[in-house]
Amino acid sequence: MAHENDITYYRCLIILFTVTFASTEKATALLKWKATFQNKNNSLLASWTLSTDACRGWYGVICFNGRTNRLKITDAGVIGTLHDFTFSFLLFLEYVDLSMNQLSGIIPPTIGNLTNLVYLDMSINKISGKIPPQIGSLSKVETLVIFDNHVNGFIPVEIGKMKSLEVLDLQRNNLSGPIPINLGDLTELESLHLYSNQLSGPIPSELANLKNLFDLELCDNQLGRSIPITLGDLTQLKILYLYSNQLSGPISSELANLENLNDLHLFYNQLSGSIPASFGNLRNLHSLHLGDNKLSGSIPITIGDLTELKSVQFYLNQLSGPIPSELGNLKKLTYLDLSDNQLSGPIPISFGNLRNMRSLYLGTNKLSGSIPKEVAYMDNLVVLSISYNEFSGHLPERLCKGGKLENFKSFT
């Protein structure tokens, strides 16, 4: 019996020694990294010393079973690089947040050693160079955030191997080249942010495989060709931002399948053809921005069915015909811009229903007739632009005396 107790005692000693040694080894690894910081007197990281227990007293360090499990030093004023971040000694890390510091230099290929990692945030730093292909080894990562850096080169195709990804955010970098088609393999993905880069080529039709996606933002790039009709299969989408690209061709009527969509922004492209009448199915839309394209034809009366709309922008197109009176059904509308088109006929009397309207732009069209007195009951109107049309008569007296208009352009 005593012999068995002795064995148990020595086993406990071995485990305790192993955990203590491992903890010390990890602490030494982090201290080696800290020693490379330009600001060695960082007050937040003053607790990082060998005289304190890394698992109990170090800022931003959380351990589990004596092993460093979480490292969160967001906005800690760190000025340095990741060159001496010894990834190979921190294999049990599951959560790393290095955001909002002044880290520069490259992402080391050894980052691929963190195979237990679930969360990685390096956003809002000065990291440069290419995203290493070894990042594809992080098969457990659910959130990968590297936005607001200076990362360049292509998006590595190896990211398509990160099958657990739910959030991928690479926005506001200097990434170029095409969007890898194998991003369509990330079937758990819910949010994809690639905007404000220099990406080119087509939008891959394979993105239609991302059935859980609710936020797709590819805007402010150099993407070309047409919008894939397969995007209409992403029925969970709430946000679709494709604006500020070089997209051409018609707007696919299949986008009307996105019945959960809240915001559809396609402005500042080279889209042509008509606005699909089927957009009347998008009953949850809050904003519909199609301005600065080459759209033609009339404004579909079905837009009047989108009663949740707050902002509509169709400016700088080639739209013609009358303004549908059905737009008067959009009682939540605060912003309407139909300027710089070829619209004709009168301002609908139904616009008097738009009591929440704050900004109304109808300038540079072929609108005619008198300004209906009902428009004067837009009590929240701050901006009214109706210049460069063919109106007759006078402005309604109540509108002139309201005193709330901050910006008014009339009959010029």
Side-chain angles (χ1 to χ4, degrees):
M1 190 68 166
H3 179 67
E4 290 180 2
N5 287 339
D6 288 342
I7 293 174
T8 302
Y9 172 76
Y10 285 117
R11 281 176 178 171
C12 289
L13 278 180
I14 291 170
I15 292 171
L16 178 62
F17 174 78
T18 303
V19 168
T20 303
F21 177 77
S23 178
T24 303
E25 190 177 31
K26 306 302 183 291
T28 303
L30 289 174
L31 286 175
K32 181 182 177 182
W33 182 46
K34 180 188 175 186
T36 67
F37 295 169
Q38 294 181 33
N39 54 334
K40 293 181 172 57
N41 295 322
N42 186 303
S43 59
L44 286 176
L45 302 185
S47 58
W48 286 25
T49 66
L50 279 177
S51 61
T52 55
D53 186 343
C55 289
R56 295 182 181 178
W58 282 25
Y59 175 84
V61 175
I62 298 176
C63 297
F64 181 73
N65 287 337
R67 293 167 169 166
T68 307
N69 180 258
R70 293 167 66 93
L71 179 62
K72 184 177 181 180
I73 53 171
T74 182
D75 199 14
V78 173
I79 304 175
T81 72
L82 294 172
H83 179 72
D84 290 294
F85 189 100
T86 46
F87 293 101
S88 56
F89 287 101
L90 298 165
L91 299 180
F92 295 96
L93 276 175
E94 294 183 4
Y95 183 104
V96 174
D97 187 347
L98 308 177
S99 63
M100 299 176 65
N101 286 290
Q102 296 186 51
L103 295 171
S104 57
I106 67 167
I107 301 172
T110 49
I111 197 170
N113 294 333
L114 301 182
T115 52
N116 286 305
L117 206 60
V118 174
Y119 182 98
L120 178 58
D121 187 348
M122 295 185 284
S123 62
I124 315 179
N125 279 287
K126 299 179 180 179
I127 296 169
S128 58
K130 298 180 179 180
I131 300 173
Q134 290 82 355
I135 206 164
S137 300
L138 307 182
S139 59
K140 295 182 181 179
V141 168
E142 297 173 1
T143 298
L144 177 59
V145 181
I146 315 180
F147 70 82
D148 266 355
N149 278 285
H150 306 302
V151 176
N152 56 40
F154 288 11
I155 297 173
V157 295
E158 287 78 6
I159 286 183
K161 298 177 181 179
M162 302 175 70
K163 298 299 177 64
S164 298
L165 270 180
E166 296 176 2
V167 175
L168 176 58
D169 194 338
L170 307 178
Q171 62 176 290
R172 293 200 291 267
N173 278 288
N174 299 314
L175 295 167
S176 58
I179 298 173
I181 61 174
N182 66 345
L183 292 191
D185 296 336
L186 305 177
T187 53
E188 299 299 316
L189 208 60
E190 297 177 358
S191 178
L192 177 58
H193 288 184
L194 303 180
Y195 66 83
S196 295
N197 280 287
Q198 300 168 28
L199 300 172
S200 58
I203 297 172
S205 59
E206 289 80 3
L207 296 185
N209 297 329
L210 309 180
K211 303 301 183 184
N212 294 310
L213 204 64
F214 67 82
D215 187 355
L216 177 58
E217 304 187 25
L218 308 179
C219 46
D220 195 17
N221 278 290
Q222 300 166 22
L223 300 171
R225 303 189 191 177
S226 59
I227 300 172
I229 61 174
T230 54
L231 293 190
D233 295 335
L234 301 176
T235 54
Q236 299 302 312
L237 270 187
K238 292 182 180 294
I239 297 173
L240 179 56
Y241 289 168
L242 304 180
Y243 63 84
S244 295
N245 277 291
Q246 299 171 16
L247 300 170
S248 59
I251 299 175
S252 170
S253 60
E254 280 77 8
L255 293 184
N257 296 331
L258 307 178
E259 295 184 1
N260 291 303
L261 208 59
N262 294 148
D263 300 287
L264 177 58
H265 294 186
L266 306 179
F267 63 89
Y268 198 41
N269 278 289
Q270 301 171 29
L271 299 169
S272 57
S274 58
I275 300 172
S278 56
F279 272 14
N281 295 331
L282 303 176
R283 300 297 178 89
N284 291 301
L285 268 189
H286 296 160
S287 61
L288 177 58
H289 295 179
L290 308 179
D292 208 343
N293 278 289
K294 299 178 180 179
L295 300 173
S296 58
S298 59
I299 298 173
I301 61 173
T302 52
I303 299 298
D305 295 332
L306 308 180
T307 54
E308 296 299 315
L309 274 175
K310 296 179 180 178
S311 178
V312 174
Q313 298 182 11
F314 293 165
Y315 65 90
L316 269 174
N317 278 290
Q318 300 163 23
L319 299 173
S320 58
I323 299 174
S325 61
E326 287 79 5
L327 295 190
N329 298 332
L330 308 180
K331 295 182 181 180
K332 294 184 180 180
L333 210 58
T334 63
Y335 192 105
L336 177 61
D337 192 344
L338 306 179
S339 62
D340 291 280
N341 279 287
Q342 300 171 26
L343 299 170
S344 58
I347 296 175
I349 293 174
S350 62
F351 270 27
N353 297 327
L354 306 179
R355 300 295 179 87
N356 290 305
M357 185 70 71
R358 292 182 57 81
S359 301
L360 177 59
Y361 296 89
L362 303 176
T364 315
N365 277 289
K366 299 178 180 180
L367 299 172
S368 58
S370 59
I371 310 298
K373 65 181 185 301
E374 287 80 5
V375 175
Y377 289 91
M378 294 181 179
D379 292 332
N380 292 296
L381 199 62
V382 175
V383 178
L384 174 62
S385 177
I386 55 176
S387 58
Y388 299 103
N389 278 289
E390 301 171 8
F391 293 121
S392 58
H394 300 281
L395 282 174
E397 184 177 358
R398 189 176 188 275
L399 186 62
C400 296
K401 292 182 178 180
K404 292 186 179 180
L405 284 179
E406 295 175 3
N407 192 334
F408 172 53
K409 296 181 180 179
S410 183
F411 296 94
T412 307

